[in-house]
């Protein structure tokens, strides 16, 4: 055995101490201070060292047991059979290695295909339920795997846990194991409610579930919409089926919930296909998962394989890339939007999370900064899931360095120096400046953007330069620019300058809906602008629309109606509109259509991939004109997906969810069938 270098021994001691601290916070206090991915890394490093220097393994090493001692307040109960934990796979090779080890131990041929029972791995709290003669008599947390806390009274409040098993044939004594979790929607509702009452919000659904289950007063637990999903049995007296799949199906027949995504896979390749399938639908599932679990399906083979330490040799959890990671908060900047709203933005030490490198994350507003209690210099947890923009989830207080600086909202706009106003009833603070260069830049960027006036070649950087050089001071002033004004600006030769002037000229011919959107009225996005153009088809009608007229329009609520009315009451906005019309901005008369009678009314479509004959926006516009609602993401509610070349995850998701898919030819055919409806343009 090789000698243990002093530096390694020291690293071991630190790792064990750190992991033990995190176990205590995670299992006992329900207050983890680091993301799971970081914890996994520490454990991996510890295992690596112990594998190289087995003589260093101590009985109390965190690798030798799961979690920490239960907290005070509930009675401690020993598990008759230990509650095992799972080994993790982080990449494809880990799963292939697992499958190879299983085949080798079972003395199966190299090309033999083992049957695995596959399930999503729920991110909840592991629980053991004991049924005696079909009656629920006890609910215990996993605790350290050997003993947990008796939380029977709380478990009984979980609505999908049967107090009495259905049917017959269940063992006289049956211990069922699974995960208690809080569905995403229930988590959002709890946090919304807590925020409204000024109470502390939960960091994630797992934390909320843990907090709810550890209530000493079961009436509080009962108010949280917890659910349980079962994944195995522990001790039992009597007969059970011979495979994992059939045991779970049997549990379901006795009234216990099992995962609806459970499937059988034959061999490692089908397991990998399952992993990718679940990863694709992960964001559509109503609960949080952090990976998938594969178990050798036959119970006799499970018994033959046995377990090492506290993890079975017949199961593995293949983890998804982390949605949460830690990094350092380098600074907080304040951005000013086109309507003056100030948004604090966290500047971060770049970190790879949720499949992308993140260096900025929104901090939303001052309420959020107060809620997080964040200081510059702090280590923060960043979350990036699905299409959602990266968020700062929490601060790792243990790691706050000396001299970390609290974040203050500025009293004056960092761009124009005007007072920052916090209006009553609004979370957002606003720059009150009437001539703020930051607001002006954002308003012009919006005006020129693709879905507004669509000025080709007028990107964000160019708008900033034009404002900074005082070549423009309003959207209308764009139309007075001449090629020599812009030639010589950053990366702007004579030819590009002329192209830009031509594009600005071309943009004068627009549609009424685009014009409305380009004005940048608060709460008026592209879809609302289209609705407004249909219901108030001339500028005069729109200017004169009262709030009552506006709220009678579909999709326009009282808040948007107030903003629209107030926009057209402000003299400077009317001057801007007048100036644009004087410059020659115009649009064809709006053709009013009845939306109820359009051929795709009531349908939701998604466009993905590259179409040969249409840009993505053209395709969306055509679908909207046929009455469809166009969405950016595929869900079970999507009516159909138009998929061009190189369609990626949205196409896979559509196939996984059995949503109808149209290729470009089928899309063209659809357009041809409804050609009569595609005459004019709003
Ligand atoms: N879906 C699932 N999650 N999960 C967690 N199955 C599963 N099995 C587990 C754990 C801890 O342990 C087995 C060893 C029973």
């Amino acid at each position: 055995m090789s000698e243990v270098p002093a530096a390694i021994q020291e690293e071991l001691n630190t790792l064990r101490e750190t992991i033990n601290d995190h176990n205590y916070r995670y299992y006992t206090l329900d207050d983890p201070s680091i993301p799971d991915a970081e914890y996994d890394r520490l454990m991996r490093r510890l295992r690596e060292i112990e594998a190289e220097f087995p003589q260093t393994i101590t009985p109390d090493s965190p690798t030798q047991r799961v979690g920490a001692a239960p907290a005070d307040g509930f009675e401690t109960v020993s598990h008759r059979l230990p509650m095992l934990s799972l080994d993790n796979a982080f990449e494809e090779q880990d799963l292939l290695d697992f499958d190879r080890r299983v085949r080798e131990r079972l003395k199966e041929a190299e090309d033999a295909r083992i049957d695995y029972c596959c399930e999503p791995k729920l991110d909840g709290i592991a629980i053991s339920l004991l049924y005696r003669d079909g009656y629920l008599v006890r609910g215990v947390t996993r605790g350290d795997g050997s003993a947990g806390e008796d939380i029977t009274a709380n478990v009984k409040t979980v609505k999908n846990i049967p107090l009495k098993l259905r049917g017959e044939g269940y063992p006289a004594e049956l211990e069922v194991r699974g995960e208690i979790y809080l569905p995403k929607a229930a988590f959002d509702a709890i946090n919304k409610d807590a925020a409204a009452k000024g109470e502390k919000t939960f960091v994630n659904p797992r934390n909320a579930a843990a907090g709810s289950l550890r209530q000493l007063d079961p009436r509080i637990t009962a108010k949280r919409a917890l659910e349980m999903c079962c994944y195995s049995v522990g001790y039992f007296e009597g007969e059970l089926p011979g495979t994992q799949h059939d045991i779970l199906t049997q549990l379901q027949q006795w009234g216990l919930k099992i995962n609806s995504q459970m499937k059988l896979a034959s061999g490692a390749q089908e397991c990998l296909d399952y992993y990718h399938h679940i990863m694709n639908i992960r964001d559509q599932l109503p609960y949080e998962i952090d990976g998938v679990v594969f178990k050798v399906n036959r119970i006799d083979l499970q018994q033959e394989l046995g377990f090492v330490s506290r993890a079975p040799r017949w199961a593995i959890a293949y983890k998804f890339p982390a949605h949460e990671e830690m990094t350092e908060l380098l600074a907080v900047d304040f951005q000013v939007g086109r309507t003056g709203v100030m948004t604090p933005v966290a500047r971060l030490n770049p970190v790879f999370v949720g499949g992308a490198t993140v260096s900025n994350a929104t901090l939303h507003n001052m309420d959020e900064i107060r809620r997080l209690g964040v200081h510059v210099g702090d280590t923060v947890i960043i979350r990036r899931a699905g299409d959602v923009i990266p968020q700062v989830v929490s601060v790792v207080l243990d790691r706050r360095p000396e001299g970390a600086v609290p974040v203050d909202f500025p009293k004056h706009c960092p761009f124009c120096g005007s007072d920052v106003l916090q209006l009553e009833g609004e979370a957002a603070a606003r720059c009150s400046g009437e001539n703020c260069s930051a607001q002006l830049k954002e308003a012009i960027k919006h005006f020129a953007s693709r879905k507004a006036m669509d000025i080709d070649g007028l990107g964000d950087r160019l708008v900033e330069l034009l404002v900074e050089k005082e070549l423009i001071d309003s959207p209308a002033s764009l139309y007075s620019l001449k090629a020599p004004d812009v030639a010589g600006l950053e990366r702007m030769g004579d030819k590009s300058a002329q192209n830009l002037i031509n594009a600005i000229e071309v943009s004068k011919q627009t549609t009424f809906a685009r014009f409305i959107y380009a004005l940048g009225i608060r709460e008026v996005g592209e879809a609302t602008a289209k609705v407004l153009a249909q219901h108030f088809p001339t500028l005069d009608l729109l200017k004169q629309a009262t709030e009552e007229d506006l709220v009678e329009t579909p999709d326009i609520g009282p808040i948007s109606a107030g903003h629209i009315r107030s926009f057209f009451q402000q003299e400077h906005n009317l001057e801007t509109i007048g100036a644009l019309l004087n410059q020659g901005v115009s649009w064809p008369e709006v053709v009013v259509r009845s939306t109820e009678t359009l051929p795709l009314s009531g349908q939701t479509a998604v466009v993905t991939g590259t179409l040969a004959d249409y840009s993505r926006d053209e395709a969306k516009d055509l679908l909207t004109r046929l009455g469809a609602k166009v969405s950016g993401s595929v869900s079970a509610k999507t009516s159909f997906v138009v998929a061009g070349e190189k369609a990626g995850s949205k196409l896979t998701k559509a196939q996984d969810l059995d949503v109808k898919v149209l290729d470009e030819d089928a899309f063209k055919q659809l357009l041809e069938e409804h050609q009569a409806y595609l005459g004019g343009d709003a």
Side-chain angles (χ1 to χ4, degrees):
M1 239 184 282
S2 53
E3 185 83 24
V4 185
I8 290 283
Q9 187 59 54
E10 193 169 327
E11 188 184 353
L12 263 181
N13 297 344
T14 313
L15 274 170
R16 286 183 184 146
E17 201 175 308
T18 313
I19 293 170
N20 275 332
D21 283 345
H22 289 310
N23 277 347
Y24 172 70
R25 294 191 67 138
Y26 189 88
Y27 288 106
T28 305
L29 301 182
D30 298 324
D31 184 22
S33 62
I34 55 168
D36 292 355
E38 176 67 11
Y39 179 87
D40 289 339
R41 261 195 295 275
L42 296 171
M43 280 296 274
R44 236 180 304 159
R45 177 69 187 139
L46 179 58
R47 281 205 192 92
E48 219 172 78
I49 301 179
E50 289 184 349
E52 197 179 343
F53 303 102
Q55 71 271 38
T56 63
I57 301 176
T58 54
D60 64 349
S61 167
T63 57
Q64 306 301 299
R65 64 185 200 126
V66 188
D72 294 333
F74 295 100
E75 202 182 315
T76 301
V77 179
S78 291
H79 297 297
R80 225 143 151 182
L81 297 175
M83 284 188 78
L84 303 175
S85 61
L86 289 165
D87 271 343
N88 291 322
F90 294 98
E91 46 194 76
E92 207 168 297
Q93 192 56 48
D94 297 338
L95 181 78
L96 297 176
D97 288 346
F98 161 76
D99 176 58
R100 180 184 41 75
R101 286 194 302 271
V102 167
R103 280 184 285 103
E104 283 173 3
R105 281 198 168 262
L106 294 175
K107 305 213 170 24
E108 291 284 352
E110 213 171 291
D111 57 354
R113 295 209 288 182
I114 303 290
D115 282 342
Y116 292 102
C117 183
C118 322
E119 283 175 276
K121 185 171 183 301
L122 269 67
D123 203 5
I125 310 299
I127 298 288
S128 146
L129 302 177
L130 182 64
Y131 285 90
R132 243 182 230 133
D133 295 323
Y135 288 93
L136 176 67
V137 292
R138 206 162 64 189
V140 182
T141 62
R142 167 145 136 237
D144 65 0
S146 307
E149 294 169 324
D150 186 335
I151 53 161
T152 309
N154 289 347
V155 156
K156 284 185 171 173
T157 70
V158 177
K159 296 202 174 58
N160 76 345
I161 296 181
L163 298 179
K164 164 94 176 63
L165 296 177
R166 289 165 68 91
E168 50 202 31
Y170 36 74
E173 193 143 314
L174 173 66
E175 187 199 344
V176 181
R177 290 169 177 185
E179 210 87 359
I180 291 191
Y181 61 95
L182 195 61
K184 290 174 190 168
F187 168 72
D188 290 342
I190 289 179
N191 264 359
K192 212 167 147 194
D193 190 45
K197 290 185 188 145
E199 292 168 5
K200 196 167 172 247
T201 50
F202 290 106
V203 171
N204 54 40
R206 190 201 169 277
N207 240 22
S212 306
L213 278 178
R214 296 191 75 256
Q215 294 292 332
L216 288 167
D217 180 354
R219 285 173 301 184
I220 300 179
T221 315
K223 286 192 190 135
R224 314 276 167 85
L226 294 167
E227 290 182 11
M228 167 130 179
C229 182
C230 304
Y231 54 66
S232 75
V233 290
Y235 176 81
F236 66 95
E237 266 170 31
E239 288 281 303
L240 283 178
T243 66
Q244 174 73 23
H245 186 273
D246 292 353
I247 290 177
L248 293 189
T249 309
Q250 177 65 79
L251 292 184
Q252 188 175 38
Q253 283 158 7
W254 288 330
L256 292 152
K257 181 178 165 134
I258 60 164
N259 199 291
S260 60
Q261 301 292 334
M262 176 179 71
K263 286 226 161 59
L264 278 177
S266 170
Q269 186 52 52
E270 286 190 19
C271 289
L272 292 175
D273 293 345
Y274 179 81
Y275 171 85
H276 291 293
H277 161 67
I278 297 293
M279 185 139 79
N280 261 322
I281 60 166
R282 179 183 188 183
D283 295 327
Q284 314 287 325
L285 294 173
Y287 42 78
E288 292 277 359
I289 59 172
D290 59 0
V292 290
V293 181
F294 301 110
K295 292 179 184 149
V296 170
N297 192 38
R298 274 172 51 185
I299 304 297
D300 59 332
L301 298 185
Q302 290 186 3
Q303 281 160 355
E304 195 175 330
L305 288 159
F307 47 89
V308 257
S309 180
R310 288 288 177 85
R313 288 205 189 90
W314 41 265
I316 195 155
Y318 188 177
K319 294 288 209 77
F320 290 141
H323 272 165
E324 291 183 5
E325 280 291 357
M326 279 194 320
T327 190
E328 190 193 347
L329 176 68
L330 303 175
V332 176
D333 288 343
F334 290 85
Q335 288 179 344
V336 176
R338 65 172 201 272
T339 58
V341 171
M342 299 195 48
T343 309
V345 179
R347 306 291 182 204
L348 306 162
N349 212 351
V351 62
F352 192 75
V353 53
T357 300
V358 171
S359 32
N360 302 308
T362 180
L363 283 162
H364 299 290
N365 51 45
M366 198 57 206
D367 286 352
E368 180 70 355
I369 289 180
R370 271 191 222 106
R371 184 184 77 77
L372 292 164
V374 68
H375 288 30
V376 171
D378 270 342
T379 295
V380 288
I381 296 177
I382 303 300
R383 182 175 171 82
R384 180 182 178 276
D387 299 333
V388 181
I389 53 170
Q391 314 273 330
V392 177
V393 176
S394 61
V395 174
V396 185
L397 284 176
D398 303 1
R399 298 200 180 194
R400 174 164 290 164
E402 248 176 65
V405 187
V407 180
D408 271 340
F409 223 86
K411 301 208 167 19
H412 301 285
C413 170
F415 300 96
C416 71
S418 305
D419 289 348
V420 171
L421 303 180
Q422 177 88 55
L423 300 181
E424 185 125 20
E426 266 193 30
R430 284 172 194 280
C431 155
S432 61
E434 300 242 320
N435 294 309
C436 173
S437 64
Q439 286 186 45
L440 178 63
K441 283 176 185 171
E442 295 309 311
I444 297 178
K445 284 178 199 171
H446 174 80
F447 180 82
S449 65
R450 221 158 28 88
K451 290 173 182 170
M453 302 302 278
D454 193 19
I455 304 179
D456 203 19
L458 185 55
D460 289 358
R461 178 73 194 132
L462 195 49
V463 170
E464 283 167 15
L465 280 175
L466 290 169
V467 172
E468 280 159 23
K469 303 248 178 249
E470 297 180 4
L471 289 166
I472 52 173
D473 59 6
S474 68
S477 63
L478 278 170
Y479 294 101
S480 304
L481 279 176
K482 303 274 178 292
D485 298 334
V486 282
L489 289 177
E490 214 175 271
R491 275 178 290 165
M492 229 345 127
D494 287 347
K495 188 149 191 303
S496 356
Q498 191 52 55
N499 286 347
L500 176 68
I501 300 302
N502 294 347
I504 293 175
E505 186 61 26
V506 167
S507 77
K508 285 182 182 172
Q509 303 308 314
T510 186
T511 66
F512 188 34
R514 279 179 176 275
F515 182 76
I516 297 170
Y517 175 63
L519 292 174
I521 306 168
R522 280 176 70 184
E523 304 285 333
V524 176
E526 194 195 1
T528 307
K530 283 183 180 164
V531 171
L532 286 172
Q534 279 288 311
H535 284 79
F536 306 96
T538 68
L539 199 48
D540 280 340
L541 285 172
L542 183 59
K543 278 188 200 164
Q544 286 153 17
T546 62
E547 282 186 48
E548 290 76 45
D549 297 334
L550 289 161
V551 286
E552 276 173 23
T553 316
D555 296 337
I556 294 180
I559 294 178
S560 311
H563 290 317
I564 297 164
R565 186 71 205 120
S566 132
F567 181 91
F568 287 108
Q569 278 173 330
Q570 291 174 45
E571 198 50 45
H572 67 103
N573 290 332
L574 299 179
E575 279 167 16
T576 302
I577 293 173
L580 288 167
L581 300 182
N582 279 340
Q583 290 283 7
V585 171
S586 67
W587 51 87
E589 202 175 309
V590 175
V591 180
V592 180
R593 305 181 190 90
S594 157
T595 47
E596 288 90 43
T597 55
L598 288 175
L600 303 184
S601 298
Q603 299 200 36
T604 304
V606 172
V607 182
T608 184
T610 311
L611 297 164
D613 293 341
Y614 310 87
S615 72
R616 190 92 56 93
D617 281 337
E618 278 166 353
K620 287 182 185 172
D621 191 46
L622 288 162
L623 289 165
T624 311
R625 283 160 57 188
L626 292 177
K629 194 170 159 218
V630 181
S631 163
S633 59
V634 178
S635 76
K637 290 194 189 127
T638 307
S639 313
F640 62 91
V641 171
V642 177
E645 287 298 310
K646 300 210 181 93
S649 60
K650 288 184 192 168
L651 173 59
T652 325
K653 202 169 278 181
Q655 288 161 339
D656 287 337
L657 293 170
D658 279 335
V659 170
K660 184 164 135 192
V661 176
L662 305 185
D663 62 10
E664 184 155 356
D665 284 345
F667 175 55
K668 278 185 186 159
Q669 202 178 328
L670 179 83
L671 298 179
E672 259 163 44
E673 275 167 30
H674 303 303
Q675 190 53 45
Y677 293 89
L678 296 170
D681 189 0

